[in-house]
Amino acid sequence: MRRLKKNYILKKQTTKIKTSNDKKKTQNTQRTSTKTTIAKKLGIKSYQKLPIICDVDTLRTLIRKKTVRVVDVRKTEDYKKGHISTAVSLPLAQIISNDTPEQIIQILENIGVSDNIPVVVYDDTFGALAARVAWTFQYVGHENTSLLEMTFANWKDLGLEIEKKNNTFAKTKHTLKINPSIFADAKYVESIQNDQNTVLVDSRERLNFLTEHIPNAKNIPYTMLGTDNSILRPRNDLKRFIENRGIKKDSEIITYCGSVGTLSGLAFYALKLAGIKDVKLYSKSFKDWKALGKPKTEFKDANYWDLSAE
Amino acid sequence: MKKKDFIKVEHKKKSFTRPDEKWGLEKETENFANQVKSYRQEKISDDDFRRFRLQHGAYGSRLRPDYSMIRIKIPSGEITPKQLEKIADLSESFSIGSAHVSTRQNIQLHWVQLEDVSEVMRGLVEVGLTTREACGNTVRNVMCSHFSGVCSEEIFDATPYSKAIAKFFLRNPISQNLPRKFKINFGCCDKHGLVRIADIGLIPAIQDGRRGFRIYLGGGLGAASFIGHLLEDFTPEEQLLSTCMATIRIFDRHGNRENMARNRMRYLVNEMGWEKFQKLILKERTILYMTTSESTRDLFSVHQFSHNLISNSILNKMKSNHKLPIVTESISIDSSSYTRWLHTNTVEQKQQGYYTVFVTLGAGDITSNQLKSLATIIQDFSLEGVARNTPQQNFAIRYVHYTDLSKVYKKLHTTGLSNSGALTITSAVGCSGTTSCNLAITNSHRLAKEVQSKLLELGFDVDDSLRSSTIKISGCPNSCGQHEIATIGFFGGATRIGNTMAPVYTMLFGGRSDKDSKLGKPVMRVPAKRVIEVIQKIVELYKQEKNSEPLDLWLDHVVNGNGPATIKNLEDIKTHLTPIVQLPPSEESPTSYQDYGNDVKFIAKTARGECAA
């Protein structure tokens, strides 16, 4: 039954992909052809500007045209067992341990990312690791970064192109251009804590949030954001969740989670997708907040952990 | 591009797929979302919003009205695999990744942010479920014995009647503002179904070849509990609706709307006197019956739910001549875990070759992943393709063919659901207690789970003399944990011992919930951390008395002062238990004064209850 259902879902998805494929193809061809003509005239290479979420068809088209850098952020051993065609391996740990903007730029250059080439990031952790990496790229100035709409497992289940060879690309040059508008640190979070138009969003699971959180934070657990087949729900669902919470579109939102900004990275993109313009990631998150000895809100009057069945 | 072809999985489907019953309404979910917004914008008062929220099945969480416990009604406790999967998804997304079976066959999701309640409702409507009138002063989930349809002692299957009644009263104007909540329970036979602790309890009966019911009125558990009265020897099927309507109308008209603590119908019956109340009901029913035209009467159709029944012809086709000697065979703690499970978790059905399999939960808790596995197991192994949840906070998978029992066990085992003891004393019931309830004083939920795992460890489940006994625990005097119908019941409170506050339970003996239902008798107070030891001691004493009767009957004799051996009465047994309930000074053993799940000093904290809006 389980497998049957899964296959059914996949079939449905495949059909969906097919239809959107046809539509997109025409769009893409049109757009690319105009662009190519202009580019040709100007004699420069032009790249497609990707949205927040990159769908499967777009990525496959880009891979075929060799106009994309696909980034696999899973562990190296997983990458070696098979990855999306042309993908380079960049485990999240590398980003976390080399987190100065200069180091990130160097990493980008090493994997052959130049200023405008579209970058598509994927993982196997419901999008959270990919989101953290994508955010980092955008923070240091690689605006044209996008998240693959699904995880590697979904991609594999759909029977899409996988290869095992270790991809490397010629080193490039990349400009460092910090985007401070998407970054927050403890000091910044503290400065806006009583600001009416700023919302602090904690994206950890409910029980962790109830136990302790940064004062005034609202909880949007990452578990709300995606589905089994897609790292983020449709835009309208996400919009409704935000609306239900009374969060206004023109608010400034800062997301955080437990330690390194993965879950909140996904929340960052979910909010972006829902149409919130001003979203920031407090990448060092609650671990940093606690280490700094900042105040937190705790709730100890209920034994909610005892509801767990495991 | 090369696309891998999907291999079509050939699946041998054993069960029927049920048509979805539509209990939920899409428009109610939008309405709820809008009401929450208005409430946040302070356009609705706290009281009005609370009433609205409860009417729609969202109960305020412990000391945090910004979170809800969502109570999903499962009419007759019958739930489809699709519904279980949906609940799993919703819990993962919006709740805490687990769901909880209540003692009234509801499934509850805890700690849902108020702003997300409408999203959960939206998902439930997709699979036909509703939370409407699951809380508040309404007709609550209509219960039906989980053995209905398979019980070897039942006269006919009450399930279609139970669902028809549920449908008739759902969103019915009279159910919107009753003096207090109203509970209807259907049984299958004299043994199963909690019919005498409900406002209306019904057991199928046949007289002169006609179908009908034995109907009990005015029972119920709570701070003051009563056992229901038999309305008349036999109520024919065609009077079912008018009897229920008459009862609700009399309650609506005469029930106490002033005193929240005494406004359940059982108080009305008690204050008015049974004879007078009975006369009023019969008179009202006559008027109703006389003024209902035949065509109106036909609108109440039991047959709309009869499609669910498995026909005899299908069963005959699948009949086998083999029988497994399960329940009669005695086992020991050294038996294999599968044998132990067979013995304590399966019941032979009246349909030859078929068994009902019980899935043991801990105080009703089940994770999202387990729910999904359970859904698959039901789909693969239950001929009827649905499951029922039970007031003992477990699941029952019915119509499992005997040849599939070991497969079902293996599947349950891989998902951590193969604990034995579902039908024994070890399967302790516990309300949600301080894990989420405003009224709770103690962590009854955790205690019930601790009791269960300790008793399983001791092998109490394999001891047939303990099998018919039950343990039920509530976190406060209100009886959500149904402690008063337990062989050994407990309800939570707080007491100063020496100069330190401690969580304590009042222990009751001798409750039962069959035809001869009886309320447990309070015996003594037991500190929370001594409950398990006390239970062990009771069993030890029982064994010392070398009694041939089961534990529950022995305790009943003791309660009545005619114990068969050295322990004659409650005073005798108390003498033996008293040393256990004595706590050392708090300086010596601070943990003895703490509740389960806490490592800090015990403080009794409660807020206003919400049952009665």
Side-chain angles (χ1 to χ4, degrees):
Chain A
M1 158 62 199
R2 198 74 197 130
R3 288 187 63 187
L4 200 75
K5 202 193 147 201
K6 211 172 175 187
N7 267 350
Y8 166 71
I9 293 169
L10 291 180
K11 264 184 203 160
K12 223 169 80 184
Q13 219 176 44
T14 326
T15 352
K16 195 191 93 192
I17 287 164
K18 259 188 198 153
T19 30
S20 65
N21 196 10
D22 296 340
K23 221 167 51 190
K24 285 258 166 58
K25 236 182 211 161
T26 18
Q27 273 178 7
N28 285 347
T29 344
Q30 279 168 4
R31 202 188 297 161
T32 336
S33 61
T34 9
K35 271 194 178 170
T36 332
T37 1
I38 301 167
K40 261 183 190 164
K41 274 180 196 162
L42 295 172
I44 48 164
K45 199 167 187 186
S46 118
Y47 290 114
Q48 184 174 343
K49 171 79 187 81
L50 293 180
I52 295 166
I53 293 289
C54 176
D55 63 76
V56 167
D57 315 324
T58 306
L59 179 58
R60 291 172 66 205
T61 311
L62 291 175
I63 291 174
R64 269 201 307 277
K65 290 202 211 143
K66 300 196 170 83
T67 51
V68 65
R69 189 67 64 243
V70 188
V71 177
D72 182 322
V73 302
R74 298 174 303 150
K75 291 195 186 104
T76 321
E77 62 253 44
D78 292 332
Y79 174 82
K80 281 181 185 158
K81 281 181 208 150
H83 52 80
I84 295 179
S85 302
T86 77
V88 292
S89 174
L90 177 59
L92 173 73
Q94 263 190 54
I95 294 281
I96 304 290
S97 52
N98 301 289
D99 77 336
T100 65
E102 292 74 19
Q103 283 170 318
I104 302 294
I105 287 295
Q106 204 163 20
I107 287 173
L108 282 171
E109 290 177 344
N110 287 342
I111 59 171
V113 173
S114 54
D115 279 3
N116 295 314
I117 186 170
V119 169
V120 176
V121 193
Y122 72 88
D123 65 15
D124 224 350
T125 320
F126 51 85
L129 307 192
R132 177 61 167 82
V133 172
W135 175 84
T136 310
F137 290 173
Q138 293 192 314
Y139 174 60
V140 298
H142 196 82
E143 177 58 29
N144 199 4
T145 306
S146 178
L147 296 170
L148 180 60
E149 62 173 323
M150 56 177 63
T151 63
F152 180 72
N154 295 141
W155 176 279
K156 201 174 159 196
D157 282 350
L158 284 171
L160 303 175
E161 303 81 352
I162 287 172
E163 62 180 19
K164 284 190 179 169
K165 75 176 198 317
N166 187 22
N167 294 309
T168 48
F169 295 90
K171 209 173 161 181
T172 52
K173 272 277 152 211
H174 198 293
T175 331
L176 171 65
K177 197 176 140 205
I178 301 280
N179 180 1
S181 75
I182 62 171
F183 173 81
D185 56 12
K187 207 174 144 200
Y188 186 78
V189 171
E190 225 171 7
S191 75
I192 50 75
Q193 262 194 315
N194 298 313
D195 200 331
Q196 288 294 317
N197 204 34
T198 302
V199 185
L200 190 56
V201 166
D202 185 320
S203 45
R204 294 172 304 149
E205 284 176 57
R206 177 64 31 84
L207 295 187
N208 293 314
F209 174 79
L210 281 175
T211 307
E212 48 177 14
H213 58 255
I214 299 179
N216 296 332
K218 290 187 182 219
N219 188 207
I220 302 183
Y222 71 92
T223 52
M224 286 174 66
L225 305 175
T227 67
D228 282 349
N229 308 307
S230 166
I231 62 163
L232 289 177
R233 287 179 194 257
R235 182 191 303 264
N236 282 343
D237 282 4
L238 296 169
K239 264 171 107 169
R240 213 174 51 238
F241 297 167
I242 312 280
E243 243 176 65
N244 284 345
R245 278 169 163 67
I247 298 174
K248 291 193 192 80
K249 252 182 93 173
D250 59 359
S251 308
E252 174 193 34
I253 305 190
I254 303 168
T255 67
Y256 77 91
C257 56
S259 57
V260 292
T262 46
L263 305 178
S264 48
L266 190 63
F268 172 90
Y269 286 105
L271 291 161
K272 282 277 185 198
L273 189 60
I276 310 280
K277 295 259 162 10
D278 188 359
V279 192
K280 294 179 171 61
L281 176 69
Y282 173 19
S283 52
K284 289 193 171 165
S285 284
F286 198 43
K287 195 177 171 188
D288 173 61
W289 185 264
K290 283 197 289 189
L292 292 169
K294 305 277 181 201
K296 50 188 188 176
T297 301
E298 298 176 33
F299 178 54
K300 292 180 170 172
D301 288 333
N303 302 102
Y304 34 85
W305 286 103
D306 286 331
L307 283 164
S308 146
E310 274 165 341
Chain B
M1 135 260 137
K2 225 169 70 189
K3 192 177 266 180
K4 202 169 95 188
D5 282 328
F6 294 119
I7 303 154
K8 202 176 168 189
V9 183
E10 276 300 322
H11 185 83
K12 227 174 91 195
K13 208 171 143 213
K14 288 191 178 169
S15 60
F16 300 108
T17 307
R18 291 289 180 83
D20 268 347
E21 286 163 10
K22 294 267 171 244
W23 301 93
L25 286 182
E26 170 90 47
K27 66 172 186 203
E28 286 177 357
T29 74
E30 277 152 39
N31 189 24
F32 196 93
N34 290 333
Q35 290 285 321
V36 172
K37 278 178 211 157
S38 306
Y39 171 62
R40 289 296 190 214
Q41 292 157 9
E42 293 175 9
K43 289 177 188 159
I44 317 173
S45 74
D46 278 3
D47 275 358
D48 285 347
F49 178 71
R50 203 173 87 254
R51 207 169 297 125
F52 169 83
R53 166 163 62 71
L54 291 168
Q55 201 81 348
H56 290 78
Y59 199 96
S61 295
R62 183 171 174 79
L63 304 162
R64 295 297 296 266
D66 48 339
Y67 291 94
S68 291
M69 179 272 281
I70 299 185
R71 185 176 283 158
I72 308 163
K73 275 179 152 177
I74 312 294
S76 302
E78 203 176 69
I79 188 156
T80 67
K82 211 167 98 190
Q83 290 169 339
L84 288 170
E85 278 172 2
K86 179 56 90 176
I87 291 173
D89 281 343
L90 292 170
S91 172
E92 230 158 41
S93 297
F94 303 103
S95 176
I96 59 172
S98 62
H100 309 271
V101 175
S102 86
T103 51
R104 280 199 64 78
Q105 296 181 315
N106 300 291
I107 292 183
Q108 302 180 163
L109 299 180
H110 290 281
W111 296 101
V112 175
Q113 195 168 318
L114 183 57
E115 279 72 13
D116 293 331
V117 172
S118 56
E119 292 302 320
V120 173
M121 290 166 73
R122 184 187 298 268
L124 293 172
V125 170
E126 285 171 27
V127 291
L129 290 169
T130 191
T131 57
R132 171 96 196 198
E133 291 153 41
C135 310
N137 297 328
T138 61
V139 175
R140 302 292 186 87
N141 189 38
V142 176
M143 291 182 75
C144 186
S145 164
H146 47 272
F147 284 115
S148 285
V150 302
C151 175
S152 52
E153 283 168 50
E154 76 177 358
I155 292 173
F156 60 86
D157 184 355
T159 315
Y161 297 86
S162 163
K163 288 196 178 171
I165 286 289
K167 189 173 177 193
F168 184 86
F169 287 109
L170 182 66
R171 302 187 183 86
N172 188 314
I174 201 170
S175 314
Q176 304 312 302
N177 188 24
L178 292 167
R180 191 73 166 84
K181 59 185 166 183
F182 198 86
K183 299 179 176 177
I184 306 178
N185 293 0
F186 281 80
C188 52
C189 64
D190 283 343
K191 267 205 286 214
H192 316 114
L194 309 180
V195 295
R196 298 196 67 184
I197 54 157
D199 293 291
I200 304 181
L202 313 94
I203 302 180
I206 284 192
Q207 204 176 69
D208 304 327
R210 284 196 306 165
R211 277 186 174 199
F213 293 88
R214 265 185 298 119
I215 298 182
Y216 295 92
L217 301 180
L221 304 180
S225 305
F226 295 96
I227 297 292
H229 304 264
L230 183 66
L231 176 65
E232 55 198 342
D233 287 342
F234 179 76
T235 307
E237 181 180 9
E238 63 270 21
Q239 298 267 20
L240 167 65
L241 180 62
S242 50
T243 308
C244 292
M245 277 176 76
T247 310
I248 292 185
R249 283 167 61 138
I250 292 297
F251 175 50
D252 187 53
R253 215 175 300 153
H254 299 278
N256 185 336
R257 285 179 192 270
E258 304 302 318
N259 183 355
M260 214 174 76
R262 302 192 78 78
N263 47 14
R264 289 289 303 275
M265 192 176 79
R266 59 179 186 268
Y267 296 105
L268 175 66
V269 176
N270 188 46
E271 278 152 27
M272 194 183 266
W274 168 245
E275 275 77 30
K276 194 176 164 198
F277 183 81
Q278 183 186 30
K279 267 187 208 133
L280 260 180
I281 298 286
L282 294 175
K283 195 173 153 197
E284 182 79 4
R285 180 176 75 183
T286 310
I287 298 165
L288 269 165
Y289 197 73
M290 298 286 287
T291 52
T292 310
S293 74
E294 202 124 313
S295 54
T296 308
R297 210 170 293 151
D298 287 345
L299 291 175
F300 175 71
S301 155
V302 170
H303 302 295
Q304 62 184 322
F305 294 108
S306 302
H307 58 74
N308 287 348
L309 307 181
I310 292 175
S311 74
N312 282 331
S313 60
I314 292 170
L315 285 171
N316 283 335
K317 242 189 273 170
M318 303 182 135
K319 223 174 203 168
S320 81
N321 296 319
H322 296 77
K323 259 192 184 181
L324 276 185
I326 288 176
V327 182
T328 48
E329 184 190 21
S330 80
I331 54 156
S332 77
I333 191 161
D334 301 319
S335 305
S336 76
S337 46
Y338 173 59
T339 314
R340 195 164 159 180
W341 176 83
L342 267 187
H343 188 77
T344 61
N345 283 46
T346 68
V347 173
E348 211 176 335
Q349 293 184 186
K350 67 176 171 189
Q351 293 82 5
Q352 212 188 336
Y354 285 94
Y355 283 76
T356 295
V357 165
F358 288 82
V359 180
T360 316
L361 306 180
D365 292 353
I366 184 164
T367 65
S368 291
N369 284 338
Q370 289 174 332
L371 278 172
K372 287 178 186 176
S373 309
L374 184 64
T376 313
I377 295 169
I378 295 161
Q379 192 78 47
D380 287 352
F381 295 105
S382 163
L383 179 67
E384 63 178 352
V386 290
R388 298 215 188 184
N389 63 7
T390 79
Q392 291 77 34
Q393 300 179 299
N394 297 317
F395 277 101
I397 311 174
R398 317 185 323 161
Y399 285 97
V400 175
H401 198 254
Y402 77 93
T403 50
D404 286 334
L405 286 172
S406 62
K407 285 179 227 158
V408 171
Y409 174 77
K410 272 182 208 138
K411 297 266 178 192
L412 288 171
H413 190 71
T414 36
T415 185
L417 287 174
S418 65
N419 264 339
S420 58
L423 298 161
T424 73
I425 189 170
T426 62
S427 184
V429 164
C431 64
S432 54
T434 49
T435 65
S436 93
C437 177
N438 259 337
L439 290 170
I441 303 163
T442 57
N443 192 349
S444 47
H445 193 75
R446 170 78 177 268
L447 177 59
K449 293 201 277 193
E450 296 285 342
V451 168
Q452 180 189 32
S453 52
K454 185 69 192 172
L455 299 193
L456 280 176
E457 185 193 313
L458 293 168
F460 279 19
D461 56 319
V462 304
D463 186 337
D464 284 347
S465 65
L466 309 178
R467 190 178 171 109
S468 49
S469 298
T470 54
I471 294 171
K472 296 176 196 284
I473 308 170
S474 304
C476 78
N478 299 294
S479 296
C480 299
Q482 301 178 337
H483 56 266
E484 282 166 297
I485 53 166
T487 312
I488 308 173
F490 296 91
F491 71 87
T495 302
R496 193 170 292 280
I497 301 177
N499 48 17
T500 311
M501 285 302 278
V504 291
Y505 285 88
T506 300
M507 178 167 67
L508 303 89
F509 284 166
R512 56 192 291 172
S513 60
D514 54 2
K515 181 171 82 34
D516 305 312
S517 288
K518 221 186 249 178
L519 299 173
K521 209 164 171 182
V523 181
M524 66 198 301
R525 302 228 265 187
V526 184
K529 291 284 174 72
R530 292 296 158 88
V531 165
I532 294 177
E533 259 176 87
V534 162
I535 294 170
Q536 276 178 262
K537 186 72 184 171
I538 294 165
V539 173
E540 190 191 310
L541 292 170
Y542 159 69
K543 292 288 173 190
Q544 278 167 14
E545 297 281 282
K546 299 215 186 316
N547 199 273
S548 60
E549 285 178 321
L551 172 68
D552 52 336
L553 289 185
W554 176 72
L555 266 184
D556 197 45
H557 291 312
V558 173
V559 167
N560 294 326
N562 52 14
T566 57
I567 295 171
K568 296 287 176 207
N569 51 41
L570 287 178
E571 287 313 311
D572 291 347
I573 202 166
K574 269 157 87 172
T575 319
H576 291 281
L577 299 176
T578 306
I580 300 174
V581 304
Q582 304 297 333
L583 293 185
S586 61
E587 305 78 46
E588 274 173 41
S589 173
T591 52
S592 304
Y593 293 77
Q594 292 163 0
D595 200 356
Y596 282 99
N598 289 68
D599 50 11
V600 289
K601 249 185 169 180
F602 175 74
I603 312 162
K605 241 185 206 175
T606 58
R608 181 179 166 184
E610 292 217 318
C611 288

